[in-house]
Amino acid sequence: MQRLWRIVLISAAVLAAVAATGLGMAYSLGAFAEAGRFTAVPGCGVMDASTFAPVLSAARVETDGDNCTASDGQVQINVGYTLVTKHGTVGGPELASRYLTAVAGGDTETLKGVGEQAIRQRTKAIGAPQVISMRVSNLIVVLSVVNLGGGELPAGAEDGLVKVATALGTRLGG
């Protein structure tokens, strides 16, 4: 009888070791890393002229692949997407978050309520471009507004870009 119990205990220990090894290998291969909500970039189909209304009253929206441009001839808004996929044991949303944290620096500000994470970069270049980079799950969306004439942005364009990004983040967030 004792021999039977030893065999049962040894078998249980071997099964537990095999299961632990299998789980450890699955973890190291990234089986438990979150892929994220997006498997492809959404493109311009999630936006129309009304999306850009906080900055452009009469926007003409154009598509270039998955990227979008809206302009009224004086001011232009560009929207670009980057899909971040999981890598090893790190999920896509975590990698996207790490990217935004890495690019945030002294000349950026964190925006609350815009996507799941967002930063704004103000530049002093010609046309006074302003850039918002935001994350929704494993998707990074970069929005920029620029004065095509090379001067300062019109009044309200900076705050308007935040409204555009907020609306887009809400649409993408489902």
Side-chain angles (χ1 to χ4, degrees):
M1 190 67 161
Q2 283 185 335
R3 183 172 187 206
L4 179 63
W5 280 108
R6 283 186 194 158
I7 292 172
V8 169
L9 287 174
I10 291 172
S11 296
V14 169
L15 283 174
V18 168
T21 302
L23 285 173
M25 288 183 67
Y27 178 78
S28 67
L29 294 174
F32 302 113
E34 181 185 357
R37 191 165 47 246
F38 296 92
T39 57
V41 297
C44 298
V46 295
M47 295 177 284
D48 56 22
S50 67
T51 308
F52 302 101
V55 179
L56 306 168
S57 58
R60 188 178 65 251
V61 181
E62 297 177 8
T63 302
D64 181 15
D66 293 322
N67 299 318
C68 311
T69 301
S71 178
D72 63 2
Q74 173 87 22
V75 175
Q76 179 172 303
I77 297 176
N78 301 299
V79 181
Y81 300 99
T82 301
L83 184 67
V84 181
T85 58
K86 70 180 185 173
H87 184 73
T89 60
V90 184
E94 176 64 23
L95 285 173
S97 178
R98 288 180 185 182
Y99 168 78
L100 282 185
T101 301
V103 298
D107 223 10
T108 63
E109 69 177 288
T110 301
L111 298 174
K112 301 290 183 199
V114 180
E116 294 173 22
Q117 179 182 6
I119 57 172
R120 174 171 34 193
Q121 299 164 300
R122 291 186 165 96
T123 63
K124 305 261 188 257
I126 295 173
Q130 304 298 304
V131 180
I132 293 177
S133 300
M134 75 171 170
R135 177 184 68 82
V136 178
S137 184
N138 60 317
L139 184 70
I140 294 176
V141 184
V142 178
L143 302 97
S144 63
V145 60
V146 64
N147 182 336
L148 296 174
E152 294 294 317
L153 288 172
E158 288 183 38
D159 291 334
L161 187 62
V162 173
K163 291 176 184 172
V164 171
T166 302
L168 181 55
T170 300
R171 287 182 185 181
L172 293 172

